[in-house]
Every structure is written in structure tokens, then in C-alpha cells.
Amino acid sequence: MKLKLYADRMSQPVRAVIIFCKKNGIDFEEIRVDIAKCQHLTPEYAEIIPMKQLPAIVDGRFKLFESHAILVYLASSFPGVADHWYPADVFKRSKIHSVLDWHHSNLRRGPTTIVRNTVLAPVLGRPLNPEAAAEGEKFLSASLSKIESVWLKGNGRFLLGGNQPSIADLSLVCDIMQLELLGETERNRLLGPYKEVQQWIENTRNATNPHFDEVHKILMKAKEKLQNPRMKGATNEGGGSDMKRTLHSRI
């Protein structure tokens, strides 16, 4: 049976899994679960994934959620996946796990917190929260500094000194890409001081294209709508729900 992937491409972990599948020729059926419409909270979806999270996969009778676990499973179970994604060498593999574990409680809290409390706040019907956004910036800055000083030092093009990407590179880069929603000026302000990180993002993009750009099209379209003055005006006048529907139904 074909692998089923439950997904909403506005989610950065979802994008990482989709890009991985496409890059490695893994045949899958993408089943849209619209987060904006709370489809992941329905009883029907809970029957498949009780934790009601995205992404999730069903491979025959096997069900799995959490993007890191999914990436590990896919890299380990499907033929033809290059070793560099999730090496057989136990030392290299353990290093990848250390990055993934660190990701959840560090970098993950940066872009998500910033975006939700700035450009996406009106869309979600919430007030702007500069204090929360500032806290997110602290997590982002500390995380990017750590990435450069610990995992991007040396001559390697990817995390842990490798010259080819691992599942950790793809997962972390997709998270940082959420900053695109802020617009060029804000994105450049946040990422500008981190030249090694910027080059690493580009390296990961190049290593996984054309799939990287294709999967991120939804994010770029959302950015265009968020930066559109008319859309901003509609939000300020209480049209946030209309903007929310537009972002999630037309892109």
C-alpha cells in the first residue's frame, strides 16, 4: 500500500517530510488536513492519529506522528535513501539525534513564536504581542549563534561538518524558513548577522531543489498576501477571518 502523509504545507515540519519524500523518490499520497479549519482536531482524524498532530503517516497498519520520528522511519525503511540522510554509522547517527533533540526546545521556539505574535496574530484573531515576539527573537538569536559556533564550524557545508545534508539539516532549515512570512526587511534583520547560517540554508535548498522551492511555494504566496497593503487594511478593520480563509484556502 502507498504511504499516506497527512499534511498542511503551512506547517514547517510537514514541509520537511514532503521534501524528504520527494527528494528520495518515496511514493506517497498527500492527504490535506487544513489546520486553519481545525480539521486535525476532528474525531475522524483522531481515529487515525489520537494526538491530533501534523505531520502524520500511515504505512500499511503502521501509524506515526512527530516529524523527527517520521524522518527517521522513512530514512530507515525505504530503499534508495542515501546514507548521508541518516547514516548507518552509530556515532554519526547519534550526533544527528542530538541536533534533533536540541531543536525542539531551542530553535523551534524562535521562528514560530515570532511569526505567531507579529504578522500572523491579526490573521488568527489575536492581538499583537511585542513582548512574546521579543522573547522569540532571543531564542532565535541564541539558537543561530549556537548553530554557527557548534555545528557549522569547520569546512563542512552542512551540520556536523558534512558535505551532504542529513535529516537534521532539512528539519532545522524548514523551521527557519517560516521567517519568510515576516517580509524581506524583518527577515534580513534577524538573519543578517549570521552569514554561515544563511549559506547553510542556501546549501540545503540547493541540495534538495527543485522540491525545496516547490514545497515552499505556499509560504511565499502567504508572504505576498501578508505584505499586501489591502490585506493588512482588511485585518486592521476586523477582516482577519477573511484574510485567514484567503491565506489557507487560496494558496
Side-chain angles (χ1 to χ4, degrees):
M1 295 178 64
K2 183 185 292 188
L3 176 75
K4 294 183 179 180
L5 171 57
Y6 293 84
D8 183 333
R9 293 192 182 195
M10 282 300 293
S11 161
Q12 50 270 48
V14 163
R15 294 195 298 270
V17 173
I18 293 175
I19 292 168
F20 182 85
C21 288
K22 287 177 174 286
K23 178 63 180 178
N24 289 284
I26 297 173
D27 191 22
F28 69 98
E29 176 187 359
E30 183 178 346
I31 301 173
R32 174 76 187 279
V33 180
D34 195 328
I35 294 175
K37 296 179 181 178
C38 297
Q39 291 177 352
H40 61 303
L41 301 178
T42 63
E44 292 78 13
Y45 186 66
E47 289 182 9
I48 303 169
I49 303 296
M51 300 301 289
K52 303 179 182 179
Q53 294 179 344
L54 293 175
I57 61 170
V58 175
D59 188 18
R61 292 184 296 176
F62 180 66
K63 302 174 183 178
L64 189 64
F65 61 94
E66 288 291 349
S67 63
H68 291 169
I70 291 170
L71 290 168
V72 167
Y73 173 76
L74 296 175
S76 304
S77 304
F78 285 79
V81 176
D83 184 72
H84 63 82
W85 287 107
Y86 189 59
D89 182 291
V90 68
F91 297 111
K92 293 180 180 179
R93 183 172 288 191
S94 297
K95 289 287 189 180
I96 288 174
H97 277 282
S98 72
V99 176
L100 294 176
D101 288 349
W102 173 88
H103 175 209
H104 268 314
S105 56
N106 292 275
L107 176 65
R108 180 78 171 136
R109 299 171 68 179
T112 298
T113 301
I114 296 169
V115 170
R116 284 182 178 176
N117 289 285
T118 55
V119 292
L120 281 188
V123 180
L124 300 174
R126 297 164 47 186
L128 297 175
N129 191 333
E131 292 80 10
E135 192 66 21
E137 287 194 25
K138 290 179 182 178
F139 271 105
L140 178 67
S141 178
S143 297
L144 297 181
S145 295
K146 191 68 68 176
I147 289 171
E148 288 197 339
S149 64
V150 176
W151 292 308
L152 287 179
K153 65 180 181 180
N155 298 322
R157 299 171 61 239
F158 299 97
L159 299 177
L160 306 171
N163 287 312
Q164 292 178 303
S166 73
I167 59 174
D169 292 282
L170 186 56
S171 185
L172 270 65
V173 166
C174 283
D175 218 337
I176 296 172
M177 285 296 294
Q178 206 76 349
L179 296 174
E180 292 289 339
L181 293 173
L182 300 176
E184 296 302 316
T185 301
E186 275 298 286
R187 178 191 178 277
N188 291 340
R189 179 180 69 82
L190 294 170
L191 295 183
Y194 304 98
K195 304 303 180 185
E196 288 85 357
V197 165
Q198 292 182 69
Q199 185 58 58
W200 163 60
I201 293 171
E202 190 64 18
N203 290 342
T204 303
R205 174 176 174 264
N206 290 336
T208 54
N209 259 339
H211 312 296
F212 190 94
D213 286 349
E214 186 270 320
V215 174
H216 279 91
K217 280 183 180 179
I218 189 170
L219 194 70
M220 301 309 170
K221 289 181 179 180
K223 177 174 73 171
E224 292 176 7
K225 293 181 184 297
L226 287 168
Q227 300 304 312
N228 186 317
R230 289 194 303 168
M231 295 297 285
K232 288 183 178 180
T235 302
N236 293 334
E237 294 169 8
S241 59
D242 292 338
M243 184 177 180
K244 180 178 179 180
R245 286 194 296 271
T246 301
L247 282 171
H248 288 275
S249 64
R250 297 184 184 176
I251 58 179

